[in-house]
Amino acid sequence: GAVVSQHPSRVICKSGTSVKIECRSLDFQATTMFWYRQFPKQSLMLMATSNEGSKATYEQGVEKDKFLINHASLTLSTLTVTSAHPEDSSFYICSAARRESNTEAFFGQGTRLTVV
Amino acid sequence: AQKITQTQPGMFVQEKEAVTLDCTYDTSDPSYGLFWYKQPSSGEMIFLIYQGSYDQQNATEGRYSLNFQKARKSANLVISASQLGDSAMYFCAMRERDSSYKLIFGSGTRLLVRP
C-alpha cells in the first residue's frame, strides 16, 4: 500500500518555541493532505485540509496563525506549531489522499509533541 | 449533530471468538464512504476495511467484515477469530462526496482480547 511518512515521531520543546512537523507521501502524489490532533483517550479531530499550492482550510476553532500549514509540493506538507504552550501538547497525525482514489486514506505514523 | 457515533467505549472478547463493534452515521449525501481503522498503543492508524455507499455487498478483508445496513445507517465491524494482537482502539470514519476527501471520526472503541 501507499506510504506516508511523518517526522519527527516525538518532540519535546520549550514553551514559546516553534516546532515543525513534516508529512511526506513517499510513492504517490497527494493532492490533499489533512492534519489531525488527538488528545489522550480521545478521537482524531480534523484541524485543517491542505491543498498543494493553495492556502489551507482550517476547521472551526483552529487558530491558523498558531498552526501554520504549508503544502509546497505534491509530496510534502508541513505543520508548524508556533509559540508552543503546554496545552499544545498532543498527538498530531497527518493523512494523505491520492489523486486517483477516494476509497483510500493513508496516515503517517504520528508525532507526539510535548511542550515543557 | 454527531456524524459518526460509536456507542461502545470499551469491549471485551475472548480469544478466538468473534466480536462486533458498532458504528452509526448521519449524512444526507447519497455518496459516501465508511472506513474502519485500528490504532494500537503506538498511535499509528491502520486501515482495516472500506465500504462505499453504493456497494451492493458487505465489504470483507480477511478476518474483518463490515455489516453495512444502509437504511439503518449503520456500519458495524465484525472481527472473527479474535487474536491477542487485536487489542487496540478501533475508529469508524466517514467521508462524504463533497468533503474534499476529509475523514470524520467516531469516538472510538477500545477492544481488549482476553486469553
Side-chain angles (χ1 to χ4, degrees), chain A residues 50-87:
Chain A
S50 167
N51 292 298
E52 186 265 338
S54 64
K55 289 184 179 180
T57 303
Y58 290 81
E59 295 297 303
Q60 194 172 10
V62 178
E63 299 176 58
K64 61 181 180 181
D65 294 330
K66 180 164 188 62
F67 299 101
L68 300 179
I69 291 172
N70 184 280
H71 194 156
S73 75
L74 284 171
T75 60
L76 174 65
S77 177
T78 60
L79 167 67
T80 301
V81 183
T82 63
S83 187
H85 289 133
E87 56 264 34

Side-chain angles (χ1 to χ4, degrees), chain A residues 3 27 60 87-89 113:
Chain A
V3 177
D27 54 358
Q60 194 172 10
E87 56 264 34
D88 298 325
S89 298
L113 170 64

Side-chain angles (χ1 to χ4, degrees), chain B residues 25-83:
Chain B
Y25 59 92
D26 182 28
T27 181
S28 57
D29 192 335
S31 178
Y32 53 89
L34 298 158
F35 298 74
W36 275 93
Y37 285 88
K38 172 184 178 181
Q39 187 181 42
S41 56
S42 60
E44 61 184 311
M45 295 292 284
I46 301 170
F47 167 76
L48 297 178
I49 198 165
Y50 168 83
Q51 180 84 44
S53 59
Y54 294 120
D55 292 344
Q56 295 296 316
Q57 295 192 337
N58 287 344
T60 61
E61 289 285 349
R63 294 188 298 113
Y64 304 108
S65 60
L66 203 150
N67 183 1
F68 181 45
Q69 298 190 40
K70 196 169 181 177
R72 293 185 178 183
K73 293 188 176 178
S74 74
N76 298 339
L77 176 70
V78 180
I79 305 175
S80 62
S82 297
Q83 302 172 356

Side-chain angles (χ1 to χ4, degrees), chain A residues 25-45:
Chain A
S25 56
L26 298 185
D27 54 358
F28 68 98
Q29 291 185 331
T31 49
T32 307
M33 288 186 174
F34 306 92
W35 288 96
Y36 293 85
R37 181 174 184 176
Q38 186 180 29
F39 289 108
K41 301 188 190 304
Q42 294 189 23
S43 186
L44 279 71
M45 299 301 296

